[in-house]
Amino acid sequence: MRTPYALTPPRDGANSYLRRERDRKRWRELLVVVITLLPFGAGLLIYTWIQVQTLAAGYRITDLERRARELARERQHLELTLAERSRAAAVEAVASGDLGMSAQSADQTLYLEDLP
């Protein structure tokens, strides 16, 4: 029974043993085309890989330059903070205020010559 949506035509008895012969010339032509196009495809892949690596290196360089600028700003800030805190007046203010120290008097000073 044949359906209207059959995927393959029915085989009649006379042609049931017929098979299509392989076309060797067609396979050779296909092989020649593949071998001819293979170097072009490989060259295109290598070119694309180089471009991607160049782009990635550019992104890394940009990130490193940005990080170097941030570190330079942080270093400048730290140097200014150190200079401000190492001033004699600032050290004296911290010592007297936070630490409860006071300036020494002349009688609290010991000299090496006076020691036994």
Side-chain angles (χ1 to χ4, degrees):
M1 172 183 226
R2 185 171 176 195
T3 62
Y5 300 107
L7 298 176
T8 58
R11 294 184 179 214
D12 56 351
N15 291 331
S16 63
Y17 296 106
L18 291 179
R19 292 189 343 175
R20 200 168 93 188
E21 188 176 326
R22 287 187 179 179
D23 188 3
R24 296 183 194 279
K25 185 178 178 184
R26 183 172 160 227
W27 283 104
R28 279 189 221 117
E29 290 172 352
L30 181 63
L31 184 63
V32 167
V33 168
V34 168
I35 289 174
T36 303
L37 293 179
L38 193 62
F40 294 115
L44 183 63
L45 283 176
I46 291 171
Y47 174 77
T48 304
W49 180 77
I50 289 171
Q51 294 302 317
V52 167
Q53 293 301 314
T54 303
L55 186 64
Y59 283 135
R60 282 193 304 270
I61 289 170
T62 303
D63 287 342
L64 289 173
E65 286 174 345
R66 179 187 50 79
R67 180 73 176 137
R69 283 191 304 270
E70 289 174 2
L71 289 174
R73 266 184 268 150
E74 184 179 351
R75 179 180 181 190
Q76 183 181 15
H77 173 72
L78 290 173
E79 286 176 349
L80 288 173
T81 304
L82 176 65
E84 180 183 329
R85 292 185 180 176
S86 63
R87 288 182 310 136
V91 172
E92 186 177 329
V94 170
S96 64
D98 296 340
L99 301 175
M101 298 178 158
S102 62
Q104 75 181 39
S105 62
D107 60 332
Q108 291 176 328
T109 305
L110 296 175
Y111 298 101
L112 288 176
E113 296 89 27
D114 297 341
L115 291 175

